[in-house]
Amino acid sequence: MKLTNYKRLWGVLTIGAIALICQFILHEQQWAAWLVTILGALIALLMFVDMIKTLRSGKFGVDLLAITAVIATLAVGEYWAALIVLLMLTGGDALEDFAANRANSELQSLLANSPQNAHLVTGDTVTAIPIDQVQVGQRLLVKPGEVIPVDGTVLTGTTTVDESSLTGESRPVDKHPNDPVMSGAINGSTAIQIQADQTAANSQYQNIVRLVRQAENQPAHFVRMADRYAVPFTLGAYLIAGVAWWLSGDPVRVAEVLVVASPCPLILAAPIALVSGMSRSSRNGIIVKTGTTLEKLAKVRSFAFDKTGTITQGHLVVDQLLPEPGTTASRLLELAASAEQQSNHVLARSLVAANPTTLLTADHVVEATAAGVQATIDGQTVRAGKASYVTDQPITKVDQTAVYVAVNGDYVGCVTFTDRVRPEAAETMTALHDLKIDHLIMISGDRQPIAEQIAQEVGIDRIHADCLPTDKINVLKQLPANQTPVAMVGDGVNDAPSLAVADVGIAMGAHRATAASESADAVVLKDDLTRVSTAVKISRDTMRVARQAVLIGIAICTGLMLIASFGIIPAIIGALFQEAVDTITILYALRARTDR
């Protein structure tokens, strides 16, 4: 909670207690009246200064009505009612902070678990070092139950890790040698050694922490909507109070009306609902940086997707085996995988993964950069790679990514690769259509035929292929007005500019920290595209709850004002009613925190 709100609340409670003693124990009613009057004037002055700052920032402040209520009750001698209003206002500020902190608990848990130290392994020695001193390539020991300090690769040991704070997935994940591990995950019951693949500053966890801090520090634009509601509400309250005074001739009616017209529901409802929605998003594996993002996402009419790594899984797998006559498919794969087994190229890893059990011994391996590999297998010279590298013979090339294979210069066939569509991609597009988002677009740097095939498979409406990063930006900027706001979903560095240009940028940041995550408005922590449609649903739920909370507060206050205008509700009782209205509004706004 903010220290200022604590001070104001405790000041009101202290002065109120002293005033009660003066009134009912010392029987000094005048002292009590003066104490409350001075306190009310001081807080009203502080609120007036805050209101002026709000007006200068270009927003309409909702404090004017509260200031008027305090002044009106003091002016007609209803100082106990004024004290209750002051208690309501200062307590409301403190309660807002409490509710925001409560709603923000999932985000705060990320900061609480931030690793501070690492165990550096040097020979047989293990030394504790600050996490910011870890360098790429160093060997680190992670003890049972410890937080993994940096992104890395398991060198020795087998364990399970808890990645729930990063991905939202509660099931422990098994990790073996050569498996990647993310910083911020919690190691299980077995000690492991890892190689640092990133420094702490560039690791997954620290990037998430930066996103959380941005989310905390940037205010929500939606609060301005509450201010706009406050304009007619304030004018309506003054009108009802003025008419009541004119008809009755009693100025006390003004205080009785304005006491129940306090704008605390407007002040509290919107920000609490938004922080609650951000908390719910975090619990579902989606970091939303600002409340403004939730508001925009709820209004999105179009979604644009990058292809590789977003619609597809982002890694190539063997698709077809196309052997020449005299060579079997299994022999073709065996030769290609055996020749490539020592290479770190992405296609080499895919070949080995497709044929891991029958690799032959490869000697005299020579890798030609950006061309292929030559190796001696069973006494024969085997080349695998580009067609121009493996043979001088005229051969028919395939229209997709492929590794060509030759034995002793004779072409024996090729292995083709494909980037498989995410299994949840079609489900995500269907869910977005069900949410009345009618414009789904793929913006890809790949060729038109491949992009069309992928789009048709998952149910995307429009395709823009052969796009460079600048082309992607132009596509987003040229969308007609009836198709905006637009959200862009991507995962790579080349997506960062388009994520920044879109009304809402969403980065698929599950496995690596990229510029995409830094420039995006929201980051999906789990490698699951359905979280995109989940984010839309959460944003719409949040905005609906926020509006309903604001309108419920306005409706109840308006009803109480009309009743109070007939003199039925004394000022002190009206002040107590307003406390109940605040409680109802806050509890309703917190509904945005729960999955329904």
Side-chain angles (χ1 to χ4, degrees):
M1 293 185 189
K2 298 176 182 177
L3 184 61
T4 301
N5 292 336
Y6 260 139
K7 286 183 176 180
R8 290 184 183 183
L9 176 59
W10 282 111
V12 172
L13 289 173
T14 301
I15 298 299
I18 296 173
L20 287 171
I21 292 172
C22 292
Q23 175 86 25
F24 297 105
I25 296 179
L26 301 179
H27 304 291
E28 293 288 348
Q29 181 177 349
Q30 193 63 33
W31 290 8
W34 276 110
L35 281 172
V36 175
T37 300
I38 293 172
L39 174 68
L42 178 62
I43 292 183
L45 178 61
L46 293 174
M47 292 177 65
F48 181 77
V49 172
D50 291 341
M51 185 188 70
I52 295 299
K53 291 179 180 178
T54 301
L55 291 173
R56 285 180 175 176
S57 69
K59 297 180 287 184
F60 179 84
V62 296
D63 292 334
L64 180 60
L65 193 55
I67 296 171
T68 309
V70 172
I71 294 174
T73 48
L74 291 174
V76 297
E78 294 283 355
Y79 55 91
W80 289 120
L83 181 64
I84 294 176
V85 172
L86 292 171
L87 180 63
M88 172 189 62
L89 293 173
T90 55
D93 288 339
L95 186 57
E96 177 185 358
D97 289 339
F98 172 79
N101 290 334
R102 181 77 178 93
N104 206 27
S105 57
E106 281 83 12
L107 299 180
Q108 291 296 333
S109 68
L110 288 173
L111 302 177
N113 292 329
S114 181
Q116 302 297 321
N117 297 297
H119 304 294
L120 176 64
V121 179
T122 308
D124 296 330
T125 304
V126 178
T127 308
I129 61 173
I131 189 174
D132 56 5
Q133 293 183 12
V134 173
Q135 298 179 8
V136 174
Q138 288 183 327
R139 193 181 189 98
L140 305 175
L141 172 68
V142 183
K143 299 178 181 180
E146 285 189 338
V147 177
I148 295 173
V150 296
D151 293 351
T153 302
V154 178
L155 296 175
T156 62
T158 299
T159 189
T160 58
V161 298
D162 178 2
E163 298 179 343
S164 58
S165 64
L166 301 170
T167 66
E169 177 59 60
S170 58
R171 181 174 60 85
V173 180
D174 294 331
K175 294 294 181 181
H176 305 277
N178 298 320
D179 284 345
V181 288
M182 291 188 291
S183 62
I186 301 173
N187 187 25
S189 58
T190 306
I192 59 173
Q193 291 190 19
I194 67 171
Q195 175 181 289
D197 294 337
Q198 297 284 354
T199 62
N202 293 327
S203 289
Q204 174 79 1
Y205 200 82
Q206 292 302 319
N207 275 276
I208 294 173
V209 168
R210 280 196 291 272
L211 297 179
V212 172
R213 285 177 174 155
Q214 287 179 26
E216 289 180 322
N217 295 332
Q218 296 184 25
H221 174 73
F222 186 80
V223 176
R224 294 187 182 180
M225 189 198 75
D227 288 336
R228 291 196 297 271
Y229 275 121
V231 174
F233 180 66
T234 300
L235 295 177
Y238 287 157
L239 177 62
I240 294 173
V243 171
W245 184 8
W246 178 61
L247 293 176
S248 67
D250 184 0
V252 175
R253 295 287 176 88
V254 175
E256 292 173 344
V257 170
L258 295 182
V259 157
V260 296
S262 174
C264 276
L266 299 178
I267 298 171
L268 299 175
I272 290 176
L274 284 168
V275 176
S276 297
M278 293 166 67
S279 172
R280 180 183 170 193
S281 297
S282 176
R283 195 167 60 249
N284 281 273
I286 309 153
I287 291 290
V288 176
K289 294 182 181 180
T290 67
T292 305
T293 298
L294 283 178
E295 182 180 11
K296 289 181 179 179
L297 192 56
K299 298 176 180 178
V300 160
R301 296 180 180 178
S302 302
F303 258 91
F305 295 87
D306 176 50
K307 181 182 75 69
T308 304
T310 303
I311 300 297
T312 65
Q313 295 176 341
H315 56 269
L316 296 172
V317 295
V318 171
D319 182 26
Q320 299 181 76
L321 301 172
L322 304 175
E324 290 291 287
T327 304
T328 64
S330 59
R331 178 62 175 173
L332 174 65
L333 180 60
E334 182 181 59
L335 289 170
S338 299
E340 295 271 17
Q341 62 184 297
Q342 297 179 31
S343 173
N344 287 321
H345 192 275
V346 60
L347 297 183
R349 294 196 297 269
S350 299
L351 283 168
V352 173
N355 188 43
T357 59
T358 59
L359 294 176
L360 304 173
T361 301
D363 299 317
H364 310 296
V365 178
V366 178
E367 186 165 1
T369 303
V373 172
Q374 176 178 299
T376 301
I377 300 174
D378 292 338
Q380 297 178 306
T381 300
V382 177
R383 281 192 171 190
K386 291 183 176 181
S388 59
Y389 172 74
V390 303
T391 182
D392 295 329
Q393 300 173 359
I395 61 176
T396 303
K397 298 180 181 179
V398 295
D399 190 25
Q400 63 186 108
T401 304
V403 168
Y404 298 85
V405 182
V407 178
N408 294 329
D410 295 326
Y411 176 64
V412 296
C414 72
V415 181
T416 66
F417 300 83
T418 185
D419 188 359
R420 289 181 178 171
V421 171
R422 288 177 180 268
E424 75 276 12
E427 175 189 350
T428 302
M429 303 307 148
T430 300
L432 290 173
H433 276 306
D434 291 342
L435 290 167
K436 308 302 181 185
I437 296 175
D438 298 325
H439 307 285
L440 301 181
I441 308 163
M442 178 189 291
I443 309 177
S444 174
D446 216 331
R447 291 170 295 162
Q448 186 75 19
I450 297 175
E452 287 179 352
Q453 179 184 350
I454 298 296
Q456 184 176 6
E457 184 175 346
V458 301
I460 286 181
D461 308 316
R462 279 190 289 153
I463 306 151
H464 295 270
D466 299 306
C467 288
L468 297 173
T470 52
D471 299 322
K472 294 182 178 182
I473 291 173
N474 290 333
V475 170
L476 295 175
K477 287 184 174 180
Q478 291 170 8
L479 286 176
N482 63 348
Q483 296 180 21
T484 58
V486 59
M488 174 73 190
V489 186
D491 80 316
V493 173
N494 65 324
D495 297 322
S498 52
L499 293 179
V501 166
D503 296 295
V504 179
I506 302 176
M508 300 293 293
H511 292 314
R512 54 196 180 276
T514 68
S517 298
E518 294 295 334
S519 61
D521 300 298
V523 180
V524 176
L525 301 180
K526 184 174 173 58
D527 194 24
D528 180 1
L529 194 61
T530 62
R531 301 302 167 109
V532 172
S533 56
T534 299
V536 176
K537 184 179 185 304
I538 290 173
S539 67
R540 291 185 179 180
D541 286 347
T542 300
M543 300 311 295
R544 182 171 61 250
V545 169
R547 289 190 183 92
Q548 289 172 348
V550 169
L551 293 175
I552 285 172
I554 289 176
I556 296 175
C557 287
T558 301
L560 290 174
M561 283 190 291
L562 292 174
I563 296 172
S565 67
F566 291 96
I568 299 174
I569 305 177
I572 190 169
I573 301 299
L576 294 174
F577 276 153
Q578 188 55 238
E579 294 283 4
V581 175
D582 292 345
T583 302
I584 291 170
T585 304
I586 291 168
L587 292 176
Y588 196 93
L590 284 171
R591 292 177 67 242
R593 189 173 182 265
T594 60
D595 293 311
R596 293 179 300 282

